[in-house]
Amino acid sequence: MTASFQLGVIGSLTLSVASSVAIVLCNKALISTLGFPFATTLTSWHLMMTFCTLHVAQRMHFFEPKAIDGQTVILFGLLNGTSIGLLNLSLGFNSIGFYQMTKLAIIPFTVMLETIFLKKRFSESIKFSLLILLLGVGIASVTDLKLNLLGSVLSGLAIATTCVGQILTNTIQKRLKVSSTQLLYQSAPYQAAILFASGPFVDQLLTNRSVFAHKYSAPVVGFIVSVLLDRGVRELQHVPRDRDNIAGDVPGSWPPQDMAWYCRLDTPCCMTPSP
């Protein structure tokens, strides 16, 4: 492995982590500090930006689109749109620490579902690592002073839907031999449309405030523009990796190619194929 390649990998990982952290912090600042609590609507804007960025990348031949049947795309879009929306709502009603613990908890629970229902086998070292992870999640949860019932329920629903979404994503990628970028490119418009239509109603139900009546001050608009631009940058980071990485992982291998899908859409949006 050459020094230039190692430097490129380090640079890519650093930029990926930095952009992910920036997205979470900007979204949390929007929701909590600047009083923009419309997490579901905000998620739809993230997904619109995701599609626009990938469309530009596709037009520039960074990756080749692949046709996917409508039923699969709609099913995937519904499930993942719901998952991403719930994760962002979890961020809005919980502390950043608890939100990050929610995302980490998705990994062991996904493994548990695959073990129970798909009969997959994982090594003892992986199980031990996940046990430590769960222990950390438990400690962080019981010591979180901002823990609340609504936030906990939203986090639980986010974990459940994201775990199922992870398994569905892995299944679709293997069956159709598509990369996560190709799958996301096809499904992002559906996910954005679902959340764009339902977001204002869901947000008003949870916050008793209307996104249409909100006062969009300069700081709010600035943070929204910044986080959407960061979202575009984050999506472009994954395109070169996915171009030569078409769902080739062996069943039962670790980690699944899509294990970080919810972070990619972290939206605050949240994991794509892990770096």
Side-chain angles (χ1 to χ4, degrees), residues 147-184:
L147 191 63
N148 60 87
L149 179 60
L150 179 57
S152 300
V153 170
L154 289 171
S155 293
L157 291 173
I159 290 173
T161 54
T162 305
C163 286
V164 175
Q166 293 286 308
I167 295 171
L168 177 64
T169 300
N170 205 327
T171 302
I172 292 174
Q173 286 187 261
K174 286 186 171 71
R175 177 167 61 86
L176 300 180
K177 301 300 181 185
V178 295
S179 70
S180 64
T181 295
Q182 291 169 324
L183 183 57
L184 183 59

PDB file of all heavy atoms in Angstrom, residues 147-184:
ATOM      1  N   LEU A 147     -33.176  12.459  29.584  1.00  0.00           N
ATOM      2  CA  LEU A 147     -33.979  11.346  29.091  1.00  0.00           C
ATOM      3  C   LEU A 147     -35.462  11.632  29.342  1.00  0.00           C
ATOM      4  O   LEU A 147     -35.847  12.071  30.417  1.00  0.00           O
ATOM      5  CB  LEU A 147     -33.567  10.062  29.802  1.00  0.00           C
ATOM      6  CG  LEU A 147     -34.116   8.744  29.240  1.00  0.00           C
ATOM      7  CD1 LEU A 147     -33.601   8.520  27.835  1.00  0.00           C
ATOM      8  CD2 LEU A 147     -33.718   7.582  30.152  1.00  0.00           C
ATOM      9  N   ASN A 148     -36.321  11.399  28.318  1.00  0.00           N
ATOM     10  CA  ASN A 148     -37.752  11.636  28.454  1.00  0.00           C
ATOM     11  C   ASN A 148     -38.517  10.550  27.714  1.00  0.00           C
ATOM     12  O   ASN A 148     -37.960   9.849  26.855  1.00  0.00           O
ATOM     13  CB  ASN A 148     -38.127  13.019  27.919  1.00  0.00           C
ATOM     14  CG  ASN A 148     -37.786  13.188  26.438  1.00  0.00           C
ATOM     15  OD1 ASN A 148     -38.591  12.851  25.574  1.00  0.00           O
ATOM     16  ND2 ASN A 148     -36.575  13.689  26.153  1.00  0.00           N
ATOM     17  N   LEU A 149     -39.793  10.404  28.041  1.00  0.00           N
ATOM     18  CA  LEU A 149     -40.595   9.308  27.502  1.00  0.00           C
ATOM     19  C   LEU A 149     -40.755   9.409  25.991  1.00  0.00           C
ATOM     20  O   LEU A 149     -40.524   8.429  25.272  1.00  0.00           O
ATOM     21  CB  LEU A 149     -41.974   9.287  28.176  1.00  0.00           C
ATOM     22  CG  LEU A 149     -42.936   8.199  27.680  1.00  0.00           C
ATOM     23  CD1 LEU A 149     -42.341   6.813  27.914  1.00  0.00           C
ATOM     24  CD2 LEU A 149     -44.289   8.323  28.375  1.00  0.00           C
ATOM     25  N   LEU A 150     -41.143  10.581  25.485  1.00  0.00           N
ATOM     26  CA  LEU A 150     -41.360  10.732  24.037  1.00  0.00           C
ATOM     27  C   LEU A 150     -40.074  10.481  23.266  1.00  0.00           C
ATOM     28  O   LEU A 150     -40.069   9.776  22.249  1.00  0.00           O
ATOM     29  CB  LEU A 150     -41.894  12.127  23.726  1.00  0.00           C
ATOM     30  CG  LEU A 150     -42.146  12.441  22.245  1.00  0.00           C
ATOM     31  CD1 LEU A 150     -43.113  11.427  21.624  1.00  0.00           C
ATOM     32  CD2 LEU A 150     -42.670  13.867  22.074  1.00  0.00           C
ATOM     33  N   GLY A 151     -38.963  11.038  23.751  1.00  0.00           N
ATOM     34  CA  GLY A 151     -37.682  10.828  23.083  1.00  0.00           C
ATOM     35  C   GLY A 151     -37.278   9.370  23.085  1.00  0.00           C
ATOM     36  O   GLY A 151     -36.747   8.857  22.103  1.00  0.00           O
ATOM     37  N   SER A 152     -37.550   8.674  24.202  1.00  0.00           N
ATOM     38  CA  SER A 152     -37.208   7.251  24.300  1.00  0.00           C
ATOM     39  C   SER A 152     -38.041   6.411  23.338  1.00  0.00           C
ATOM     40  O   SER A 152     -37.532   5.491  22.697  1.00  0.00           O
ATOM     41  CB  SER A 152     -37.418   6.755  25.733  1.00  0.00           C
ATOM     42  OG  SER A 152     -36.601   7.468  26.633  1.00  0.00           O
ATOM     43  N   VAL A 153     -39.346   6.743  23.236  1.00  0.00           N
ATOM     44  CA  VAL A 153     -40.223   6.014  22.310  1.00  0.00           C
ATOM     45  C   VAL A 153     -39.776   6.230  20.863  1.00  0.00           C
ATOM     46  O   VAL A 153     -39.695   5.281  20.074  1.00  0.00           O
ATOM     47  CB  VAL A 153     -41.690   6.464  22.491  1.00  0.00           C
ATOM     48  CG1 VAL A 153     -42.563   5.894  21.382  1.00  0.00           C
ATOM     49  CG2 VAL A 153     -42.220   6.021  23.846  1.00  0.00           C
ATOM     50  N   LEU A 154     -39.465   7.471  20.518  1.00  0.00           N
ATOM     51  CA  LEU A 154     -38.998   7.763  19.156  1.00  0.00           C
ATOM     52  C   LEU A 154     -37.692   7.035  18.860  1.00  0.00           C
ATOM     53  O   LEU A 154     -37.490   6.524  17.753  1.00  0.00           O
ATOM     54  CB  LEU A 154     -38.815   9.273  18.990  1.00  0.00           C
ATOM     55  CG  LEU A 154     -40.100  10.114  18.951  1.00  0.00           C
ATOM     56  CD1 LEU A 154     -39.779  11.603  19.011  1.00  0.00           C
ATOM     57  CD2 LEU A 154     -40.913   9.793  17.696  1.00  0.00           C
ATOM     58  N   SER A 155     -36.799   6.970  19.848  1.00  0.00           N
ATOM     59  CA  SER A 155     -35.531   6.266  19.659  1.00  0.00           C
ATOM     60  C   SER A 155     -35.767   4.771  19.455  1.00  0.00           C
ATOM     61  O   SER A 155     -35.135   4.140  18.602  1.00  0.00           O
ATOM     62  CB  SER A 155     -34.617   6.484  20.865  1.00  0.00           C
ATOM     63  OG  SER A 155     -34.204   7.832  20.947  1.00  0.00           O
ATOM     64  N   GLY A 156     -36.685   4.197  20.241  1.00  0.00           N
ATOM     65  CA  GLY A 156     -36.997   2.773  20.079  1.00  0.00           C
ATOM     66  C   GLY A 156     -37.573   2.469  18.705  1.00  0.00           C
ATOM     67  O   GLY A 156     -37.186   1.482  18.067  1.00  0.00           O
ATOM     68  N   LEU A 157     -38.484   3.316  18.235  1.00  0.00           N
ATOM     69  CA  LEU A 157     -39.060   3.131  16.896  1.00  0.00           C
ATOM     70  C   LEU A 157     -37.988   3.314  15.820  1.00  0.00           C
ATOM     71  O   LEU A 157     -37.981   2.592  14.809  1.00  0.00           O
ATOM     72  CB  LEU A 157     -40.200   4.128  16.675  1.00  0.00           C
ATOM     73  CG  LEU A 157     -41.459   3.900  17.518  1.00  0.00           C
ATOM     74  CD1 LEU A 157     -42.436   5.056  17.319  1.00  0.00           C
ATOM     75  CD2 LEU A 157     -42.123   2.575  17.145  1.00  0.00           C
ATOM     76  N   ALA A 158     -37.086   4.259  16.039  1.00  0.00           N
ATOM     77  CA  ALA A 158     -35.998   4.488  15.075  1.00  0.00           C
ATOM     78  C   ALA A 158     -35.093   3.269  14.989  1.00  0.00           C
ATOM     79  O   ALA A 158     -34.679   2.858  13.890  1.00  0.00           O
ATOM     80  CB  ALA A 158     -35.186   5.718  15.484  1.00  0.00           C
ATOM     81  N   ILE A 159     -34.769   2.675  16.128  1.00  0.00           N
ATOM     82  CA  ILE A 159     -33.923   1.474  16.141  1.00  0.00           C
ATOM     83  C   ILE A 159     -34.611   0.336  15.393  1.00  0.00           C
ATOM     84  O   ILE A 159     -34.005  -0.339  14.556  1.00  0.00           O
ATOM     85  CB  ILE A 159     -33.607   1.056  17.588  1.00  0.00           C
ATOM     86  CG1 ILE A 159     -32.655   2.069  18.239  1.00  0.00           C
ATOM     87  CG2 ILE A 159     -32.972  -0.341  17.623  1.00  0.00           C
ATOM     88  CD1 ILE A 159     -32.422   1.831  19.717  1.00  0.00           C
ATOM     89  N   ALA A 160     -35.906   0.117  15.677  1.00  0.00           N
ATOM     90  CA  ALA A 160     -36.636  -0.988  15.050  1.00  0.00           C
ATOM     91  C   ALA A 160     -36.702  -0.831  13.535  1.00  0.00           C
ATOM     92  O   ALA A 160     -36.399  -1.769  12.778  1.00  0.00           O
ATOM     93  CB  ALA A 160     -38.044  -1.077  15.639  1.00  0.00           C
ATOM     94  N   THR A 161     -37.117   0.349  13.068  1.00  0.00           N
ATOM     95  CA  THR A 161     -37.257   0.550  11.617  1.00  0.00           C
ATOM     96  C   THR A 161     -35.913   0.549  10.909  1.00  0.00           C
ATOM     97  O   THR A 161     -35.797   0.046   9.785  1.00  0.00           O
ATOM     98  CB  THR A 161     -37.980   1.880  11.326  1.00  0.00           C
ATOM     99  OG1 THR A 161     -37.296   2.959  11.986  1.00  0.00           O
ATOM    100  CG2 THR A 161     -39.416   1.834  11.799  1.00  0.00           C
ATOM    101  N   THR A 162     -34.883   1.080  11.566  1.00  0.00           N
ATOM    102  CA  THR A 162     -33.565   1.119  10.923  1.00  0.00           C
ATOM    103  C   THR A 162     -32.950  -0.273  10.844  1.00  0.00           C
ATOM    104  O   THR A 162     -32.295  -0.611   9.847  1.00  0.00           O
ATOM    105  CB  THR A 162     -32.619   2.071  11.683  1.00  0.00           C
ATOM    106  OG1 THR A 162     -33.221   3.356  11.786  1.00  0.00           O
ATOM    107  CG2 THR A 162     -31.298   2.214  10.938  1.00  0.00           C
ATOM    108  N   CYS A 163     -33.150  -1.091  11.874  1.00  0.00           N
ATOM    109  CA  CYS A 163     -32.641  -2.466  11.832  1.00  0.00           C
ATOM    110  C   CYS A 163     -33.258  -3.228  10.657  1.00  0.00           C
ATOM    111  O   CYS A 163     -32.550  -3.898   9.896  1.00  0.00           O
ATOM    112  CB  CYS A 163     -32.959  -3.191  13.141  1.00  0.00           C
ATOM    113  SG  CYS A 163     -31.954  -2.682  14.547  1.00  0.00           S
ATOM    114  N   VAL A 164     -34.571  -3.128  10.527  1.00  0.00           N
ATOM    115  CA  VAL A 164     -35.241  -3.805   9.412  1.00  0.00           C
ATOM    116  C   VAL A 164     -34.762  -3.222   8.086  1.00  0.00           C
ATOM    117  O   VAL A 164     -34.530  -3.943   7.110  1.00  0.00           O
ATOM    118  CB  VAL A 164     -36.767  -3.674   9.541  1.00  0.00           C
ATOM    119  CG1 VAL A 164     -37.470  -4.279   8.329  1.00  0.00           C
ATOM    120  CG2 VAL A 164     -37.259  -4.342  10.814  1.00  0.00           C
ATOM    121  N   GLY A 165     -34.571  -1.890   8.054  1.00  0.00           N
ATOM    122  CA  GLY A 165     -34.076  -1.249   6.836  1.00  0.00           C
ATOM    123  C   GLY A 165     -32.682  -1.708   6.458  1.00  0.00           C
ATOM    124  O   GLY A 165     -32.370  -1.898   5.284  1.00  0.00           O
ATOM    125  N   GLN A 166     -31.809  -1.912   7.466  1.00  0.00           N
ATOM    126  CA  GLN A 166     -30.456  -2.400   7.212  1.00  0.00           C
ATOM    127  C   GLN A 166     -30.494  -3.771   6.544  1.00  0.00           C
ATOM    128  O   GLN A 166     -29.788  -4.029   5.568  1.00  0.00           O
ATOM    129  CB  GLN A 166     -29.686  -2.511   8.537  1.00  0.00           C
ATOM    130  CG  GLN A 166     -29.386  -1.201   9.225  1.00  0.00           C
ATOM    131  CD  GLN A 166     -28.287  -0.436   8.529  1.00  0.00           C
ATOM    132  OE1 GLN A 166     -27.214  -0.967   8.265  1.00  0.00           O
ATOM    133  NE2 GLN A 166     -28.551   0.807   8.212  1.00  0.00           N
ATOM    134  N   ILE A 167     -31.327  -4.639   7.098  1.00  0.00           N
ATOM    135  CA  ILE A 167     -31.425  -6.004   6.555  1.00  0.00           C
ATOM    136  C   ILE A 167     -32.022  -5.976   5.154  1.00  0.00           C
ATOM    137  O   ILE A 167     -31.558  -6.684   4.252  1.00  0.00           O
ATOM    138  CB  ILE A 167     -32.275  -6.879   7.498  1.00  0.00           C
ATOM    139  CG1 ILE A 167     -31.559  -7.024   8.852  1.00  0.00           C
ATOM    140  CG2 ILE A 167     -32.530  -8.248   6.889  1.00  0.00           C
ATOM    141  CD1 ILE A 167     -32.398  -7.683   9.925  1.00  0.00           C
ATOM    142  N   LEU A 168     -33.048  -5.143   4.955  1.00  0.00           N
ATOM    143  CA  LEU A 168     -33.665  -5.019   3.624  1.00  0.00           C
ATOM    144  C   LEU A 168     -32.667  -4.481   2.609  1.00  0.00           C
ATOM    145  O   LEU A 168     -32.584  -4.979   1.478  1.00  0.00           O
ATOM    146  CB  LEU A 168     -34.882  -4.101   3.703  1.00  0.00           C
ATOM    147  CG  LEU A 168     -35.589  -3.809   2.372  1.00  0.00           C
ATOM    148  CD1 LEU A 168     -36.183  -5.086   1.791  1.00  0.00           C
ATOM    149  CD2 LEU A 168     -36.674  -2.747   2.550  1.00  0.00           C
ATOM    150  N   THR A 169     -31.895  -3.478   3.016  1.00  0.00           N
ATOM    151  CA  THR A 169     -30.889  -2.901   2.121  1.00  0.00           C
ATOM    152  C   THR A 169     -29.879  -3.950   1.692  1.00  0.00           C
ATOM    153  O   THR A 169     -29.548  -4.082   0.503  1.00  0.00           O
ATOM    154  CB  THR A 169     -30.150  -1.741   2.826  1.00  0.00           C
ATOM    155  OG1 THR A 169     -31.095  -0.731   3.178  1.00  0.00           O
ATOM    156  CG2 THR A 169     -29.092  -1.146   1.905  1.00  0.00           C
ATOM    157  N   ASN A 170     -29.377  -4.720   2.660  1.00  0.00           N
ATOM    158  CA  ASN A 170     -28.399  -5.766   2.363  1.00  0.00           C
ATOM    159  C   ASN A 170     -28.987  -6.800   1.411  1.00  0.00           C
ATOM    160  O   ASN A 170     -28.335  -7.245   0.462  1.00  0.00           O
ATOM    161  CB  ASN A 170     -27.971  -6.437   3.675  1.00  0.00           C
ATOM    162  CG  ASN A 170     -26.599  -7.072   3.581  1.00  0.00           C
ATOM    163  OD1 ASN A 170     -26.210  -7.555   2.529  1.00  0.00           O
ATOM    164  ND2 ASN A 170     -25.883  -7.096   4.688  1.00  0.00           N
ATOM    165  N   THR A 171     -30.249  -7.160   1.655  1.00  0.00           N
ATOM    166  CA  THR A 171     -30.922  -8.156   0.808  1.00  0.00           C
ATOM    167  C   THR A 171     -31.090  -7.651  -0.617  1.00  0.00           C
ATOM    168  O   THR A 171     -30.823  -8.367  -1.591  1.00  0.00           O
ATOM    169  CB  THR A 171     -32.306  -8.507   1.397  1.00  0.00           C
ATOM    170  OG1 THR A 171     -32.142  -9.004   2.727  1.00  0.00           O
ATOM    171  CG2 THR A 171     -33.006  -9.550   0.550  1.00  0.00           C
ATOM    172  N   ILE A 172     -31.527  -6.399  -0.756  1.00  0.00           N
ATOM    173  CA  ILE A 172     -31.740  -5.810  -2.079  1.00  0.00           C
ATOM    174  C   ILE A 172     -30.417  -5.704  -2.831  1.00  0.00           C
ATOM    175  O   ILE A 172     -30.328  -6.026  -4.028  1.00  0.00           O
ATOM    176  CB  ILE A 172     -32.398  -4.428  -1.953  1.00  0.00           C
ATOM    177  CG1 ILE A 172     -33.833  -4.564  -1.438  1.00  0.00           C
ATOM    178  CG2 ILE A 172     -32.406  -3.711  -3.303  1.00  0.00           C
ATOM    179  CD1 ILE A 172     -34.509  -3.244  -1.136  1.00  0.00           C
ATOM    180  N   GLN A 173     -29.363  -5.256  -2.134  1.00  0.00           N
ATOM    181  CA  GLN A 173     -28.066  -5.102  -2.791  1.00  0.00           C
ATOM    182  C   GLN A 173     -27.539  -6.436  -3.313  1.00  0.00           C
ATOM    183  O   GLN A 173     -26.991  -6.516  -4.414  1.00  0.00           O
ATOM    184  CB  GLN A 173     -27.056  -4.481  -1.833  1.00  0.00           C
ATOM    185  CG  GLN A 173     -27.274  -2.997  -1.579  1.00  0.00           C
ATOM    186  CD  GLN A 173     -26.165  -2.397  -0.764  1.00  0.00           C
ATOM    187  OE1 GLN A 173     -26.284  -2.217   0.443  1.00  0.00           O
ATOM    188  NE2 GLN A 173     -25.069  -2.082  -1.417  1.00  0.00           N
ATOM    189  N   LYS A 174     -27.700  -7.482  -2.508  1.00  0.00           N
ATOM    190  CA  LYS A 174     -27.226  -8.794  -2.941  1.00  0.00           C
ATOM    191  C   LYS A 174     -28.070  -9.332  -4.096  1.00  0.00           C
ATOM    192  O   LYS A 174     -27.541  -9.905  -5.046  1.00  0.00           O
ATOM    193  CB  LYS A 174     -27.258  -9.770  -1.768  1.00  0.00           C
ATOM    194  CG  LYS A 174     -26.166  -9.572  -0.730  1.00  0.00           C
ATOM    195  CD  LYS A 174     -26.226 -10.687   0.300  1.00  0.00           C
ATOM    196  CE  LYS A 174     -25.011 -10.624   1.211  1.00  0.00           C
ATOM    197  NZ  LYS A 174     -25.061  -9.476   2.132  1.00  0.00           N
ATOM    198  N   ARG A 175     -29.393  -9.154  -3.993  1.00  0.00           N
ATOM    199  CA  ARG A 175     -30.291  -9.726  -5.001  1.00  0.00           C
ATOM    200  C   ARG A 175     -30.144  -9.029  -6.352  1.00  0.00           C
ATOM    201  O   ARG A 175     -30.143  -9.682  -7.409  1.00  0.00           O
ATOM    202  CB  ARG A 175     -31.739  -9.631  -4.519  1.00  0.00           C
ATOM    203  CG  ARG A 175     -32.781 -10.129  -5.520  1.00  0.00           C
ATOM    204  CD  ARG A 175     -34.131 -10.307  -4.871  1.00  0.00           C
ATOM    205  NE  ARG A 175     -34.642  -9.065  -4.325  1.00  0.00           N
ATOM    206  CZ  ARG A 175     -35.347  -8.170  -5.037  1.00  0.00           C
ATOM    207  NH1 ARG A 175     -35.599  -8.392  -6.310  1.00  0.00           N
ATOM    208  NH2 ARG A 175     -35.794  -7.068  -4.464  1.00  0.00           N
ATOM    209  N   LEU A 176     -30.009  -7.704  -6.324  1.00  0.00           N
ATOM    210  CA  LEU A 176     -29.978  -6.942  -7.574  1.00  0.00           C
ATOM    211  C   LEU A 176     -28.561  -6.552  -7.996  1.00  0.00           C
ATOM    212  O   LEU A 176     -28.384  -5.969  -9.070  1.00  0.00           O
ATOM    213  CB  LEU A 176     -30.829  -5.676  -7.423  1.00  0.00           C
ATOM    214  CG  LEU A 176     -32.307  -5.907  -7.097  1.00  0.00           C
ATOM    215  CD1 LEU A 176     -33.029  -4.569  -6.969  1.00  0.00           C
ATOM    216  CD2 LEU A 176     -32.974  -6.776  -8.155  1.00  0.00           C
ATOM    217  N   LYS A 177     -27.575  -6.842  -7.149  1.00  0.00           N
ATOM    218  CA  LYS A 177     -26.177  -6.494  -7.449  1.00  0.00           C
ATOM    219  C   LYS A 177     -26.029  -4.998  -7.721  1.00  0.00           C
ATOM    220  O   LYS A 177     -25.515  -4.570  -8.752  1.00  0.00           O
ATOM    221  CB  LYS A 177     -25.663  -7.296  -8.656  1.00  0.00           C
ATOM    222  CG  LYS A 177     -25.719  -8.797  -8.482  1.00  0.00           C
ATOM    223  CD  LYS A 177     -24.903  -9.268  -7.303  1.00  0.00           C
ATOM    224  CE  LYS A 177     -24.938 -10.782  -7.135  1.00  0.00           C
ATOM    225  NZ  LYS A 177     -24.222 -11.214  -5.912  1.00  0.00           N
ATOM    226  N   VAL A 178     -26.508  -4.209  -6.796  1.00  0.00           N
ATOM    227  CA  VAL A 178     -26.408  -2.757  -6.926  1.00  0.00           C
ATOM    228  C   VAL A 178     -25.617  -2.209  -5.749  1.00  0.00           C
ATOM    229  O   VAL A 178     -25.567  -2.805  -4.670  1.00  0.00           O
ATOM    230  CB  VAL A 178     -27.801  -2.090  -6.957  1.00  0.00           C
ATOM    231  CG1 VAL A 178     -28.574  -2.516  -8.192  1.00  0.00           C
ATOM    232  CG2 VAL A 178     -28.594  -2.388  -5.703  1.00  0.00           C
ATOM    233  N   SER A 179     -25.003  -1.061  -5.952  1.00  0.00           N
ATOM    234  CA  SER A 179     -24.287  -0.398  -4.864  1.00  0.00           C
ATOM    235  C   SER A 179     -25.280   0.434  -4.070  1.00  0.00           C
ATOM    236  O   SER A 179     -26.408   0.692  -4.490  1.00  0.00           O
ATOM    237  CB  SER A 179     -23.193   0.506  -5.430  1.00  0.00           C
ATOM    238  OG  SER A 179     -23.769   1.630  -6.080  1.00  0.00           O
ATOM    239  N   SER A 180     -24.853   0.881  -2.901  1.00  0.00           N
ATOM    240  CA  SER A 180     -25.735   1.712  -2.081  1.00  0.00           C
ATOM    241  C   SER A 180     -26.047   3.031  -2.771  1.00  0.00           C
ATOM    242  O   SER A 180     -27.143   3.577  -2.633  1.00  0.00           O
ATOM    243  CB  SER A 180     -25.088   1.973  -0.719  1.00  0.00           C
ATOM    244  OG  SER A 180     -23.902   2.723  -0.875  1.00  0.00           O
ATOM    245  N   THR A 181     -25.074   3.559  -3.538  1.00  0.00           N
ATOM    246  CA  THR A 181     -25.309   4.803  -4.265  1.00  0.00           C
ATOM    247  C   THR A 181     -26.390   4.620  -5.324  1.00  0.00           C
ATOM    248  O   THR A 181     -27.280   5.468  -5.476  1.00  0.00           O
ATOM    249  CB  THR A 181     -24.011   5.290  -4.926  1.00  0.00           C
ATOM    250  OG1 THR A 181     -23.057   5.618  -3.908  1.00  0.00           O
ATOM    251  CG2 THR A 181     -24.261   6.521  -5.787  1.00  0.00           C
ATOM    252  N   GLN A 182     -26.327   3.525  -6.072  1.00  0.00           N
ATOM    253  CA  GLN A 182     -27.348   3.261  -7.084  1.00  0.00           C
ATOM    254  C   GLN A 182     -28.725   3.100  -6.457  1.00  0.00           C
ATOM    255  O   GLN A 182     -29.724   3.605  -6.979  1.00  0.00           O
ATOM    256  CB  GLN A 182     -26.981   2.000  -7.877  1.00  0.00           C
ATOM    257  CG  GLN A 182     -25.763   2.169  -8.764  1.00  0.00           C
ATOM    258  CD  GLN A 182     -25.272   0.848  -9.330  1.00  0.00           C
ATOM    259  OE1 GLN A 182     -25.335  -0.191  -8.665  1.00  0.00           O
ATOM    260  NE2 GLN A 182     -24.767   0.877 -10.555  1.00  0.00           N
ATOM    261  N   LEU A 183     -28.787   2.420  -5.322  1.00  0.00           N
ATOM    262  CA  LEU A 183     -30.051   2.206  -4.634  1.00  0.00           C
ATOM    263  C   LEU A 183     -30.585   3.512  -4.066  1.00  0.00           C
ATOM    264  O   LEU A 183     -31.780   3.822  -4.178  1.00  0.00           O
ATOM    265  CB  LEU A 183     -29.858   1.175  -3.518  1.00  0.00           C
ATOM    266  CG  LEU A 183     -31.104   0.770  -2.721  1.00  0.00           C
ATOM    267  CD1 LEU A 183     -32.185   0.225  -3.653  1.00  0.00           C
ATOM    268  CD2 LEU A 183     -30.732  -0.281  -1.677  1.00  0.00           C
ATOM    269  N   LEU A 184     -29.711   4.293  -3.464  1.00  0.00           N
ATOM    270  CA  LEU A 184     -30.126   5.567  -2.891  1.00  0.00           C
ATOM    271  C   LEU A 184     -30.580   6.541  -3.975  1.00  0.00           C
ATOM    272  O   LEU A 184     -31.552   7.286  -3.792  1.00  0.00           O
ATOM    273  CB  LEU A 184     -28.974   6.176  -2.091  1.00  0.00           C
ATOM    274  CG  LEU A 184     -29.263   7.489  -1.356  1.00  0.00           C
ATOM    275  CD1 LEU A 184     -30.411   7.316  -0.368  1.00  0.00           C
ATOM    276  CD2 LEU A 184     -28.015   7.975  -0.637  1.00  0.00           C
TER     277      LEU A 184
END
